Structure formats: C-alpha cells, structure tokens
C-alpha cells in the first residue's frame, strides 16, 4: 500500500517539476522500491523483541542524474520519507528516530544507477519518536520534550482557529506507561480535546488516532 500511494503521488508530481527531472532513465519509483526493500533487509530485532527498522537513508547518484533533480530534490525526499513511514506502519516496525532521506552526488556511481545507504539513527535518549500531522500536511515531530498546541504564539504548534484556546493541549511522553508512548493532555481548554470522537482529559495515543483540538483535526503517527 505504501508504494502504491507513493506511485500515485508521483503521478501527480510528474505533471509538474518531475516531468523534467528524470530524463536520464532513472525513475523515481525505483528509489521508492529500493527503499522499502532495504528497510526489510536491514531491520533488526530490538531488546523488546520488536523489529527495529532503519530510519535514515542516503541515495548516492551520478552527478549528471543529480543535476536533473535541480529544484526537485526536496519534494522527492519528502515523498520517499512518506513512503517509508507507510511501509513501517504496515510492517509494524519500530523507529528509534525521525525518518530522513537524503539524495547526494557520488563520483563512483554510473549514469542511471544509484546506491542506498541505510542506518538506524536513534533520537536523543534512544526512545521511539512520533509525529503530529495537520490537514495541510504540516508535521510536528515528537520526542522527549512536551509539545504544546494552542492559539497563542508561544505554543509549539500554533493553531489559528477561534475554537482553540490560547494554550489548549499538550502532547508528552506517557509517564504512566513504559515511556515509549505518547499521551495528549487537555489544558482545561474552553472547547475540549477529543480523541477519535470522544472527549478526554488525558489519553494515551495510538498510531492513527484522530485528535481534535477544538475543531482542528490533528493525526497522531507513531512512526
């Protein structure tokens, strides 16, 4: 499913900048296919028994191929990161840090070929990370530091909506659990916080949970 979504998004992008980017014969879907294969190949079994997958990927391309990417490296990296997140979710992989994809030039590569280097790069503390994703695509990484959500400019994630309180809610490490999860805590907001439609004062989050901060939807992703 992750690769299928990746291919559909690339089809839309091909109508624009990517239509000019890949005239060397190197197709972007080849990068996506290689990435998910390498996630499977390089996964490890962690101390908890869960499968830990690589989260940092560097594609090494011939300089001429890289030149065709002018202006399109960043959007392609974002699409590859999303494909990796979807694959990790489908396979129930644990990630110890943010998924990051880089595309660089390498003299050793021949035209139309590439190499992929994958690594497990742990976030500070070595504990799993997560993200909050807004409807407009903005993504807020989660780690050991609590993240505040609200209308006030001092919040980590500013939500400009009249149904949102100035400091509405907080997402933090789940202090009552094993420390590897996250919970949302309502900060006595005016319009409340809901998780999957239910009003909550404090709730541990599961991958894919839909959190409403007032009327603003925010999706929690555990990868």
């Amino acid at each position: 499913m992750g690769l299928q979504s990746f291919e559909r998004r690339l089809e839309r992008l091909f109508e624009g900048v990517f239509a000019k980017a890949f005239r060397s014969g190197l197709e972007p879907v080849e990068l996506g296919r290689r990435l998910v294969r390498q996630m499977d190949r390089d996964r490890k079994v962690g101390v908890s028994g869960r499968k830990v997958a690589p989260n940092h990927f560097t594609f090494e391309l011939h300089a001429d191929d890289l030149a065709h990417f002018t202006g399109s490296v960043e959007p392609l990296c974002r699409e590859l990161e999303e494909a990796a997140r979807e694959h990790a979710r489908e396979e129930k992989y644990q990630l110890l840090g943010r998924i990051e994809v880089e595309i660089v030039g390498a003299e050793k590569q021949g035209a139309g070929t590439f190499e992929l280097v994958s690594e497990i790069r742990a976030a500070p503390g070595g504990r799993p990370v997560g993200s909050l994703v807004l409807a407009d695509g903005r993504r807020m990484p989660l780690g050991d530091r609590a993240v505040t959500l609200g209308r006030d400019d001092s919040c980590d994630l500013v939500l400009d909506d009249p149904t949102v309180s100035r400091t509405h809610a907080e997402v933090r490490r789940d202090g009552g659990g094993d420390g590897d999860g996250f919970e949302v805590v309502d900060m006595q907001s005016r319009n409340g916080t809901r998780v999957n439609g239910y009003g909550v004062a404090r709730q541990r989050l599961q991958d894919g949970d839909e959190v409403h901060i007032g009327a603003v939807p925010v999706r929690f992703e555990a990868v």
Side-chain angles (χ1 to χ4, degrees), residues 88-166:
R89 186 173 297 110
E90 290 166 5
E91 298 298 322
K92 295 181 170 49
Y93 290 152
Q94 187 177 64
L95 301 172
L96 299 185
R98 289 183 61 192
I99 289 180
E100 296 179 305
V101 174
E102 296 180 287
I103 299 176
V104 301
E107 294 182 0
K108 64 181 180 180
Q109 294 304 129
T113 69
F114 65 90
E115 188 57 67
L116 174 59
V117 179
S118 61
E119 303 174 71
I120 296 174
R121 290 192 180 180
R127 295 193 289 181
V129 296
S131 298
L132 298 176
V133 185
L134 298 182
D136 62 7
R138 281 187 291 162
R139 179 178 293 273
M140 169 64 71
L142 299 172
D144 286 341
R145 189 178 68 84
V147 169
T148 55
L149 302 90
R151 207 175 66 251
D152 195 89
D153 289 342
S154 65
C155 291
D156 298 297
L157 189 55
V158 178
L159 305 174
D160 186 14
D161 188 281
T163 67
V164 176
S165 297
R166 292 179 65 84

Side-chain angles (χ1 to χ4, degrees), residues 14 22 36 48 56 64 79 84 89 95 100 106 114 121-122 131 134 146 166 174 180 192 206 212:
F14 262 125
F22 294 96
V36 298
S48 65
H56 191 277
D64 290 343
E79 292 297 335
R89 186 173 297 110
L95 301 172
E100 296 179 305
F114 65 90
R121 290 192 180 180
S131 298
L134 298 182
R166 292 179 65 84
D174 181 10
D180 283 347
Q206 304 295 325
H212 273 82

Side-chain angles (χ1 to χ4, degrees), residues 152-210:
D152 195 89
D153 289 342
S154 65
C155 291
D156 298 297
L157 189 55
V158 178
L159 305 174
D160 186 14
D161 188 281
T163 67
V164 176
S165 297
R166 292 179 65 84
T167 303
H168 194 110
E170 189 174 86
V171 176
R172 60 177 75 143
R173 287 280 184 194
D174 181 10
D178 55 13
D180 283 347
F182 293 90
E183 62 181 1
V184 61
V185 179
D186 185 79
M187 307 298 284
Q188 298 183 333
S189 65
R190 184 177 69 253
N191 291 308
T193 299
R194 290 175 289 137
V195 177
N196 301 326
Y198 295 94
V200 300
R202 179 190 298 264
Q203 176 70 44
R204 189 172 198 194
L205 297 173
Q206 304 295 325
D207 184 43
D209 277 351
E210 197 75 19

